[in-house]
Amino acid sequence: MNLDWEFIVESLPLYGEAMWLTLKIAFFAILFSLVVGLLCSIVLYYRVKGISGIIVAYIELSRNTPLLVQLYFLYYGFTKIGLHMSEMTCAIVGMTFLGGGYMAEAFRGGIEAVSKTQTESGLSLGLSKIQLARYVILPQAFSISIPSLGANAIFLLKETSIVGAIALLDLMNVAKDLIGMYYKTTESLILLVLAYLILLLPLSMLLTWVERKVRYAEFGD
């Protein structure tokens, strides 16, 4: 297999810009998804009247509709009601909408794994619901949820490959444009794979390290 190394070298700046854009979208999407997921899981845990049903509907909707459909709805559908968003904002909002549902389920699983004796002990000590959540439930739930949260973070980073559908020059879109213009399919796809590996491998290794540290803090092994 003969590769066009000159084409590869000349294409590196385009992939570098696309990697930076992909990383920014993924960072904000993961961050906001964690916040949304945590808030939703707390609402579900305390069964807040009037809101719990809405949260359940949101989780089911976000997890059972494709990201592409969500992005099209935000980018094209909202313009019909006069709400215009930039491509970057739309991508972050869409991925947060998707990721929030997954993060909520991950947090909910962690919260439900905390034994009832822990919560009963906290209440018997006179802790308020807020103190109980802050000092007893959430720290344990977070450590239990780390594997699921990490898997969701990696999932969201990979899902950035969809945002090119709304005219963002992400990695996938750059690769498709180069293939369409120069017919350098092999070279473009090799660069695409390497770019995603550069983004995903460090994140995967970091999450594995965090998981081990948390497990060691809990169990000592």
Side-chain angles (χ1 to χ4, degrees):
M1 180 175 63
N2 295 321
L3 297 177
D4 188 342
W5 291 102
E6 183 179 354
F7 172 81
I8 290 175
V9 172
E10 290 177 353
S11 301
L12 286 177
L14 291 174
Y15 278 90
E17 293 177 8
M19 284 176 64
W20 177 239
L21 176 66
T22 298
L23 191 60
K24 284 194 294 184
I25 294 172
F27 173 78
F28 287 111
I30 292 169
L31 178 63
F32 295 151
S33 294
L34 287 169
V35 175
V36 171
L38 180 59
L39 293 176
C40 289
S41 63
I42 291 173
V43 170
L44 292 177
Y45 178 75
Y46 286 112
R47 298 174 184 173
V48 180
K49 292 182 179 179
I51 304 179
S52 295
I54 297 173
I55 297 299
V56 171
Y58 154 67
I59 291 173
E60 294 302 320
L61 179 63
S62 64
R63 297 175 68 210
N64 292 289
T65 52
L67 176 60
L68 184 60
V69 174
Q70 296 171 8
L71 290 176
Y72 278 167
F73 185 82
L74 291 170
Y75 192 63
Y76 298 109
F78 273 24
T79 57
K80 301 297 183 181
I81 59 174
L83 182 59
H84 300 272
M85 289 187 287
S86 67
E87 292 85 356
M88 184 76 169
T89 302
C90 182
I92 294 173
V93 171
M95 291 191 62
T96 300
F97 182 83
L98 173 71
Y102 283 95
M103 295 298 187
E105 287 295 280
F107 277 121
R108 186 176 66 84
I111 290 174
E112 291 183 353
V114 178
S115 66
K116 292 191 180 297
T117 56
Q118 298 266 355
T119 57
E120 291 170 356
S121 298
L123 290 173
S124 67
L125 292 172
L127 296 179
S128 65
K129 287 187 176 181
I130 295 177
Q131 291 173 324
L132 185 65
R134 180 180 177 184
Y135 297 112
V136 179
I137 298 173
L138 291 182
Q140 295 182 70
F142 181 74
S143 63
I144 295 169
S145 304
I146 281 180
S148 298
L149 296 175
N152 290 338
I154 292 173
F155 164 72
L156 286 174
L157 180 53
K158 290 189 291 186
E159 282 294 284
T160 56
S161 60
I162 305 296
V163 301
I166 54 173
L168 280 171
L169 280 177
D170 69 310
L171 286 168
M172 185 64 72
N173 220 1
V174 166
K176 288 194 297 184
D177 287 349
L178 291 175
I179 292 171
M181 289 188 294
Y182 302 107
Y183 301 99
K184 300 290 185 179
T185 304
T186 303
E187 291 85 352
S188 299
L189 292 179
I190 288 175
L191 287 172
L192 178 64
V193 170
L194 289 176
Y196 273 113
L197 284 175
I198 291 171
L199 292 176
L200 286 165
L201 280 179
L203 177 60
S204 179
M205 293 171 65
L206 174 63
L207 292 170
T208 301
W209 177 80
V210 170
E211 184 179 347
R212 287 176 179 171
K213 286 292 184 182
V214 171
R215 187 186 299 120
Y216 180 81
E218 281 193 280
F219 305 108
D221 57 11

Short mmCIF file of all heavy atoms in Angstrom, two decimals, residues 134-178:
data_model
loop_
_atom_site.label_atom_id
_atom_site.label_comp_id
_atom_site.label_asym_id
_atom_site.label_seq_id
_atom_site.Cartn_x
_atom_site.Cartn_y
_atom_site.Cartn_z
N ARG A 134 -25.29 15.49 50.61
CA ARG A 134 -23.94 16.01 50.40
C ARG A 134 -22.86 15.16 51.04
O ARG A 134 -21.80 14.92 50.43
CB ARG A 134 -23.87 17.44 50.95
CG ARG A 134 -22.50 18.08 50.80
CD ARG A 134 -22.50 19.49 51.35
NE ARG A 134 -21.17 20.09 51.26
CZ ARG A 134 -20.86 21.30 51.73
NH1 ARG A 134 -21.80 22.05 52.30
NH2 ARG A 134 -19.63 21.77 51.63
N TYR A 135 -23.09 14.69 52.25
CA TYR A 135 -22.03 14.02 53.00
C TYR A 135 -22.11 12.49 52.99
O TYR A 135 -21.11 11.83 53.28
CB TYR A 135 -22.05 14.50 54.46
CG TYR A 135 -21.76 15.96 54.61
CD1 TYR A 135 -22.75 16.84 55.04
CD2 TYR A 135 -20.50 16.49 54.31
CE1 TYR A 135 -22.49 18.20 55.18
CE2 TYR A 135 -20.24 17.84 54.44
CZ TYR A 135 -21.24 18.70 54.88
OH TYR A 135 -20.98 20.05 55.01
N VAL A 136 -23.28 11.94 52.69
CA VAL A 136 -23.45 10.49 52.78
C VAL A 136 -23.74 9.87 51.42
O VAL A 136 -23.00 8.98 50.95
CB VAL A 136 -24.58 10.12 53.78
CG1 VAL A 136 -24.77 8.60 53.83
CG2 VAL A 136 -24.28 10.68 55.16
N ILE A 137 -24.78 10.35 50.77
CA ILE A 137 -25.27 9.66 49.56
C ILE A 137 -24.39 9.96 48.34
O ILE A 137 -23.89 9.03 47.68
CB ILE A 137 -26.73 10.05 49.29
CG1 ILE A 137 -27.62 9.60 50.44
CG2 ILE A 137 -27.20 9.42 47.98
CD1 ILE A 137 -29.05 10.06 50.34
N LEU A 138 -24.21 11.24 48.01
CA LEU A 138 -23.54 11.59 46.77
C LEU A 138 -22.08 11.14 46.69
O LEU A 138 -21.64 10.67 45.64
CB LEU A 138 -23.65 13.10 46.52
CG LEU A 138 -25.07 13.60 46.19
CD1 LEU A 138 -25.06 15.09 45.91
CD2 LEU A 138 -25.65 12.85 45.01
N PRO A 139 -21.28 11.29 47.77
CA PRO A 139 -19.90 10.80 47.67
C PRO A 139 -19.81 9.31 47.34
O PRO A 139 -18.99 8.88 46.50
CB PRO A 139 -19.31 11.10 49.06
CG PRO A 139 -20.12 12.23 49.58
CD PRO A 139 -21.50 11.98 49.06
N GLN A 140 -20.66 8.50 47.99
CA GLN A 140 -20.65 7.07 47.71
C GLN A 140 -21.22 6.77 46.32
O GLN A 140 -20.70 5.93 45.58
CB GLN A 140 -21.47 6.33 48.76
CG GLN A 140 -20.87 6.41 50.16
CD GLN A 140 -21.69 5.64 51.17
OE1 GLN A 140 -21.71 4.42 51.14
NE2 GLN A 140 -22.37 6.34 52.06
N ALA A 141 -22.28 7.47 45.97
CA ALA A 141 -22.91 7.25 44.67
C ALA A 141 -21.95 7.61 43.54
O ALA A 141 -21.90 6.92 42.51
CB ALA A 141 -24.19 8.08 44.55
N PHE A 142 -21.19 8.69 43.74
CA PHE A 142 -20.25 9.10 42.70
C PHE A 142 -19.17 8.04 42.47
O PHE A 142 -18.85 7.70 41.33
CB PHE A 142 -19.61 10.44 43.08
CG PHE A 142 -18.64 10.95 42.05
CD1 PHE A 142 -19.10 11.48 40.86
CD2 PHE A 142 -17.27 10.89 42.27
CE1 PHE A 142 -18.21 11.95 39.90
CE2 PHE A 142 -16.39 11.35 41.32
CZ PHE A 142 -16.85 11.88 40.13
N SER A 143 -18.63 7.51 43.55
CA SER A 143 -17.58 6.50 43.41
C SER A 143 -18.12 5.23 42.76
O SER A 143 -17.44 4.60 41.95
CB SER A 143 -16.97 6.17 44.78
OG SER A 143 -17.94 5.60 45.64
N ILE A 144 -19.35 4.87 43.09
CA ILE A 144 -19.97 3.69 42.48
C ILE A 144 -20.24 3.91 41.00
O ILE A 144 -20.13 3.00 40.18
CB ILE A 144 -21.27 3.33 43.22
CG1 ILE A 144 -20.97 2.91 44.67
CG2 ILE A 144 -22.02 2.21 42.50
CD1 ILE A 144 -22.20 2.79 45.54
N SER A 145 -20.58 5.16 40.66
CA SER A 145 -20.99 5.48 39.29
C SER A 145 -19.84 5.74 38.34
O SER A 145 -20.07 5.87 37.13
CB SER A 145 -21.91 6.71 39.30
OG SER A 145 -23.02 6.51 40.13
N ILE A 146 -18.62 5.85 38.84
CA ILE A 146 -17.49 6.25 38.00
C ILE A 146 -17.34 5.39 36.73
O ILE A 146 -17.14 5.93 35.64
CB ILE A 146 -16.19 6.28 38.81
CG1 ILE A 146 -16.14 7.58 39.63
CG2 ILE A 146 -14.96 6.20 37.92
CD1 ILE A 146 -14.91 7.74 40.46
N PRO A 147 -17.42 4.05 36.82
CA PRO A 147 -17.30 3.28 35.57
C PRO A 147 -18.35 3.65 34.53
O PRO A 147 -18.03 3.80 33.34
CB PRO A 147 -17.47 1.83 36.05
CG PRO A 147 -17.03 1.84 37.47
CD PRO A 147 -17.50 3.17 38.00
N SER A 148 -19.59 3.81 34.96
CA SER A 148 -20.66 4.18 34.03
C SER A 148 -20.49 5.60 33.50
O SER A 148 -20.69 5.86 32.31
CB SER A 148 -22.02 4.06 34.72
OG SER A 148 -22.27 2.74 35.11
N LEU A 149 -20.09 6.52 34.39
CA LEU A 149 -19.86 7.90 33.96
C LEU A 149 -18.73 7.97 32.95
O LEU A 149 -18.80 8.71 31.96
CB LEU A 149 -19.55 8.78 35.17
CG LEU A 149 -20.65 8.93 36.22
CD1 LEU A 149 -20.15 9.74 37.40
CD2 LEU A 149 -21.89 9.60 35.61
N GLY A 150 -17.66 7.20 33.19
CA GLY A 150 -16.54 7.18 32.27
C GLY A 150 -16.94 6.62 30.91
O GLY A 150 -16.54 7.17 29.87
N ALA A 151 -17.72 5.55 30.92
CA ALA A 151 -18.18 4.98 29.65
C ALA A 151 -19.06 5.98 28.89
O ALA A 151 -18.95 6.10 27.66
CB ALA A 151 -18.97 3.70 29.92
N ASN A 152 -19.89 6.73 29.61
CA ASN A 152 -20.72 7.74 28.96
C ASN A 152 -19.89 8.88 28.40
O ASN A 152 -20.21 9.43 27.34
CB ASN A 152 -21.74 8.29 29.96
CG ASN A 152 -22.81 7.28 30.32
OD1 ASN A 152 -23.05 6.33 29.58
ND2 ASN A 152 -23.44 7.47 31.47
N ALA A 153 -18.82 9.26 29.11
CA ALA A 153 -17.95 10.33 28.61
C ALA A 153 -17.28 9.92 27.31
O ALA A 153 -17.19 10.71 26.34
CB ALA A 153 -16.89 10.67 29.67
N ILE A 154 -16.78 8.69 27.26
CA ILE A 154 -16.17 8.18 26.02
C ILE A 154 -17.21 8.11 24.90
O ILE A 154 -16.93 8.46 23.75
CB ILE A 154 -15.53 6.81 26.28
CG1 ILE A 154 -14.33 6.96 27.22
CG2 ILE A 154 -15.10 6.15 24.97
CD1 ILE A 154 -13.73 5.65 27.67
N PHE A 155 -18.40 7.67 25.26
CA PHE A 155 -19.49 7.60 24.29
C PHE A 155 -19.79 8.97 23.69
O PHE A 155 -19.96 9.12 22.47
CB PHE A 155 -20.74 7.02 24.97
CG PHE A 155 -22.02 7.24 24.23
CD1 PHE A 155 -22.30 6.54 23.07
CD2 PHE A 155 -22.96 8.16 24.70
CE1 PHE A 155 -23.49 6.75 22.39
CE2 PHE A 155 -24.15 8.36 24.03
CZ PHE A 155 -24.41 7.65 22.87
N LEU A 156 -19.84 10.00 24.52
CA LEU A 156 -20.13 11.35 24.04
C LEU A 156 -19.02 11.88 23.15
O LEU A 156 -19.29 12.57 22.15
CB LEU A 156 -20.37 12.29 25.22
CG LEU A 156 -21.69 12.13 25.96
CD1 LEU A 156 -21.74 13.02 27.19
CD2 LEU A 156 -22.87 12.44 25.05
N LEU A 157 -17.78 11.58 23.52
CA LEU A 157 -16.67 12.03 22.68
C LEU A 157 -16.75 11.39 21.29
O LEU A 157 -16.52 12.06 20.27
CB LEU A 157 -15.33 11.68 23.34
CG LEU A 157 -14.06 12.07 22.59
CD1 LEU A 157 -14.07 13.54 22.21
CD2 LEU A 157 -12.83 11.75 23.43
N LYS A 158 -17.12 10.13 21.23
CA LYS A 158 -17.27 9.47 19.93
C LYS A 158 -18.48 10.00 19.16
O LYS A 158 -18.46 10.05 17.93
CB LYS A 158 -17.39 7.95 20.12
CG LYS A 158 -16.09 7.30 20.58
CD LYS A 158 -16.16 5.79 20.55
CE LYS A 158 -17.09 5.25 21.59
NZ LYS A 158 -17.05 3.76 21.65
N GLU A 159 -19.52 10.39 19.89
CA GLU A 159 -20.72 10.90 19.23
C GLU A 159 -20.50 12.26 18.56
O GLU A 159 -21.36 12.70 17.79
CB GLU A 159 -21.87 11.01 20.24
CG GLU A 159 -22.53 9.69 20.58
CD GLU A 159 -23.25 9.09 19.39
OE1 GLU A 159 -24.34 9.57 19.04
OE2 GLU A 159 -22.72 8.13 18.81
N THR A 160 -19.38 12.91 18.85
CA THR A 160 -19.10 14.18 18.16
C THR A 160 -18.96 13.98 16.66
O THR A 160 -19.02 14.95 15.89
CB THR A 160 -17.81 14.82 18.69
OG1 THR A 160 -16.72 13.90 18.57
CG2 THR A 160 -17.95 15.23 20.14
N SER A 161 -18.79 12.73 16.23
CA SER A 161 -18.68 12.46 14.79
C SER A 161 -19.98 12.78 14.05
O SER A 161 -19.99 12.85 12.82
CB SER A 161 -18.31 10.99 14.56
OG SER A 161 -19.30 10.13 15.10
N ILE A 162 -21.08 13.02 14.79
CA ILE A 162 -22.38 13.31 14.17
C ILE A 162 -22.55 14.79 13.89
O ILE A 162 -23.32 15.19 13.02
CB ILE A 162 -23.52 12.83 15.09
CG1 ILE A 162 -23.36 11.35 15.42
CG2 ILE A 162 -24.88 13.06 14.44
CD1 ILE A 162 -23.46 10.42 14.25
N VAL A 163 -21.82 15.65 14.62
CA VAL A 163 -22.12 17.09 14.55
C VAL A 163 -21.78 17.70 13.20
O VAL A 163 -22.22 18.81 12.90
CB VAL A 163 -21.38 17.87 15.67
CG1 VAL A 163 -21.79 17.35 17.04
CG2 VAL A 163 -19.86 17.80 15.50
N GLY A 164 -21.03 16.98 12.38
CA GLY A 164 -20.76 17.49 11.03
C GLY A 164 -22.02 17.64 10.20
O GLY A 164 -22.02 18.35 9.18
N ALA A 165 -23.11 17.00 10.63
CA ALA A 165 -24.38 17.09 9.91
C ALA A 165 -24.95 18.50 9.94
O ALA A 165 -25.82 18.83 9.12
CB ALA A 165 -25.39 16.10 10.49
N ILE A 166 -24.50 19.33 10.89
CA ILE A 166 -24.99 20.71 10.96
C ILE A 166 -23.86 21.69 10.60
O ILE A 166 -23.74 22.76 11.17
CB ILE A 166 -25.58 21.04 12.34
CG1 ILE A 166 -24.59 20.73 13.47
CG2 ILE A 166 -26.87 20.28 12.55
CD1 ILE A 166 -25.06 21.18 14.83
N ALA A 167 -23.04 21.25 9.64
CA ALA A 167 -22.03 22.12 9.00
C ALA A 167 -20.88 22.52 9.91
O ALA A 167 -20.27 23.57 9.71
CB ALA A 167 -22.70 23.38 8.45
N LEU A 168 -20.55 21.70 10.89
CA LEU A 168 -19.35 21.93 11.70
C LEU A 168 -18.20 21.10 11.12
O LEU A 168 -18.39 19.94 10.77
CB LEU A 168 -19.60 21.53 13.15
CG LEU A 168 -20.36 22.53 14.02
CD1 LEU A 168 -20.73 21.89 15.36
CD2 LEU A 168 -19.54 23.79 14.25
N LEU A 169 -17.04 21.72 11.06
CA LEU A 169 -15.88 21.01 10.50
C LEU A 169 -15.20 20.17 11.57
O LEU A 169 -14.09 20.44 12.00
CB LEU A 169 -14.89 22.02 9.89
CG LEU A 169 -15.23 22.53 8.49
CD1 LEU A 169 -14.22 23.57 8.05
CD2 LEU A 169 -15.29 21.39 7.50
N ASP A 170 -15.91 19.14 12.00
CA ASP A 170 -15.33 18.20 12.95
C ASP A 170 -14.45 17.21 12.19
O ASP A 170 -14.28 17.30 10.97
CB ASP A 170 -16.44 17.47 13.71
CG ASP A 170 -17.21 16.53 12.81
OD1 ASP A 170 -17.64 16.97 11.71
OD2 ASP A 170 -17.37 15.35 13.17
N LEU A 171 -13.91 16.24 12.90
CA LEU A 171 -12.99 15.29 12.28
C LEU A 171 -13.65 14.51 11.15
O LEU A 171 -13.06 14.34 10.08
CB LEU A 171 -12.47 14.32 13.35
CG LEU A 171 -11.44 14.90 14.32
CD1 LEU A 171 -11.22 13.96 15.50
CD2 LEU A 171 -10.12 15.16 13.60
N MET A 172 -14.86 14.02 11.37
CA MET A 172 -15.53 13.24 10.35
C MET A 172 -15.81 14.06 9.10
O MET A 172 -15.64 13.60 7.96
CB MET A 172 -16.84 12.68 10.91
CG MET A 172 -17.58 11.74 9.96
SD MET A 172 -16.67 10.23 9.61
CE MET A 172 -16.84 9.39 11.19
N ASN A 173 -16.23 15.30 9.29
CA ASN A 173 -16.54 16.16 8.16
C ASN A 173 -15.28 16.51 7.36
O ASN A 173 -15.32 16.56 6.12
CB ASN A 173 -17.21 17.44 8.64
CG ASN A 173 -18.34 17.87 7.72
OD1 ASN A 173 -18.64 17.22 6.73
ND2 ASN A 173 -18.97 18.98 8.06
N VAL A 174 -14.17 16.76 8.06
CA VAL A 174 -12.91 17.04 7.38
C VAL A 174 -12.49 15.85 6.53
O VAL A 174 -12.08 16.00 5.37
CB VAL A 174 -11.81 17.40 8.40
CG1 VAL A 174 -10.43 17.36 7.74
CG2 VAL A 174 -12.06 18.78 8.98
N ALA A 175 -12.59 14.65 7.10
CA ALA A 175 -12.21 13.45 6.36
C ALA A 175 -13.09 13.28 5.12
O ALA A 175 -12.58 12.97 4.02
CB ALA A 175 -12.31 12.23 7.25
N LYS A 176 -14.40 13.49 5.26
CA LYS A 176 -15.30 13.33 4.12
C LYS A 176 -15.01 14.37 3.04
O LYS A 176 -15.04 14.06 1.85
CB LYS A 176 -16.75 13.45 4.58
CG LYS A 176 -17.24 12.25 5.38
CD LYS A 176 -18.75 12.24 5.53
CE LYS A 176 -19.26 13.43 6.30
NZ LYS A 176 -20.73 13.37 6.53
N ASP A 177 -14.72 15.61 3.45
CA ASP A 177 -14.40 16.66 2.48
C ASP A 177 -13.12 16.34 1.71
O ASP A 177 -13.07 16.52 0.48
CB ASP A 177 -14.26 18.01 3.19
CG ASP A 177 -15.60 18.57 3.63
OD1 ASP A 177 -16.64 18.03 3.22
OD2 ASP A 177 -15.60 19.55 4.42
N LEU A 178 -12.11 15.88 2.41
CA LEU A 178 -10.84 15.55 1.75
C LEU A 178 -11.00 14.37 0.79
O LEU A 178 -10.43 14.38 -0.31
CB LEU A 178 -9.77 15.23 2.79
CG LEU A 178 -9.29 16.42 3.63
CD1 LEU A 178 -8.31 15.97 4.71
CD2 LEU A 178 -8.62 17.48 2.75
#
